[in-house]
Amino acid sequence: MKAKDVMTVDVVSVSPDHSVRHAARIMLDHRISGLPVIDDDGRVVGIVTEGDLMRRSELGVQALAPVDRQFSTEENNAGAYVKSHSWKVADVMTSDPVMVDEETPLPRIAALMAERGIKRVPVMRGEHLVGIVSRAELLRVIITAKFDATAPGDDAIRRSILTRLREDAGIKGDELALTVADGLVHVSGAVSSQSERDAVRVVAEGVRGVKGVFDHLSLA
């Protein structure tokens, strides 16, 4: 699946000239935690999120306290003051946001979110914003995901499990004894760790037609 398959297309946005209060109100009204910031030419110039507003002066002195010496230099102190006191979205937003093309695969988007510590990415078609993918959209994919279309039958189930063990989990099935009867999987042999043992079970449980998995494995 790609970004275009799961993105929200009715994107709520703000202008860099809007007020911080206006942005906060939109987030509350729409129950969202971040907004793309779009200038008069239709370009995405930033993102403003709940996190950007957590150091606001309106929240009191504690909200302005440095965290991990983030604002240790005079320059950073000045920048922190602007972010915490300015009324304009342009001064508070995160500039140069991470953006993806509508053809970007979901695994790449999930990796970007994890690497950058972000919760949403604007989706572009050329220079135009066409949607947004947030963690919520990725969670919906998990909820709606279906088991694969593995052909029915015990032999097909066994082949599928062995293939996935090798290709997806990196576990060679040479030392495993795996039998399937009426959808019930029995697996025995030695694995090198509890993680490998768990992976064998998860792989087997994820194959269509499996009714139960019986673990007779031992740790080498």
Side-chain angles (χ1 to χ4, degrees), residues 158 165 171-178 187-191 200 217:
R158 184 178 184 278
L165 284 174
I171 299 174
K172 296 181 180 179
D174 301 344
E175 298 182 5
L176 301 181
L178 194 149
V187 58
S188 59
V191 290
V200 172
L217 294 168

Side-chain angles (χ1 to χ4, degrees), residues 149-169:
T150 301
D154 292 336
D155 288 342
I157 289 174
R158 184 178 184 278
R159 288 195 301 272
S160 182
I161 292 173
L162 291 174
T163 299
R164 293 190 191 190
L165 284 174
R166 181 179 64 255
E167 297 181 359
D168 297 344

Side-chain angles (χ1 to χ4, degrees), residues 109-201:
I109 295 176
L112 281 172
M113 289 183 179
E115 292 168 5
R116 304 295 184 89
I118 55 179
K119 297 181 180 180
R120 67 199 55 76
V121 291
V123 181
M124 310 298 292
R125 180 182 299 149
E127 296 183 356
H128 300 285
L129 177 70
V130 293
I132 195 162
V133 174
S134 69
R135 290 180 180 179
E137 277 75 53
L138 299 186
L139 290 179
R140 291 189 188 100
V141 172
I142 295 174
I143 293 173
T144 59
K146 299 179 180 179
F147 287 114
D148 67 89
T150 301
D154 292 336
D155 288 342
I157 289 174
R158 184 178 184 278
R159 288 195 301 272
S160 182
I161 292 173
L162 291 174
T163 299
R164 293 190 191 190
L165 284 174
R166 181 179 64 255
E167 297 181 359
D168 297 344
I171 299 174
K172 296 181 180 179
D174 301 344
E175 298 182 5
L176 301 181
L178 194 149
T179 61
V180 183
D182 194 24
L184 300 177
V185 178
H186 290 263
V187 58
S188 59
V191 290
S192 60
S193 67
Q194 184 62 44
S195 294
E196 284 196 0
R197 186 175 195 166
D198 292 338
V200 172
R201 172 181 54 80

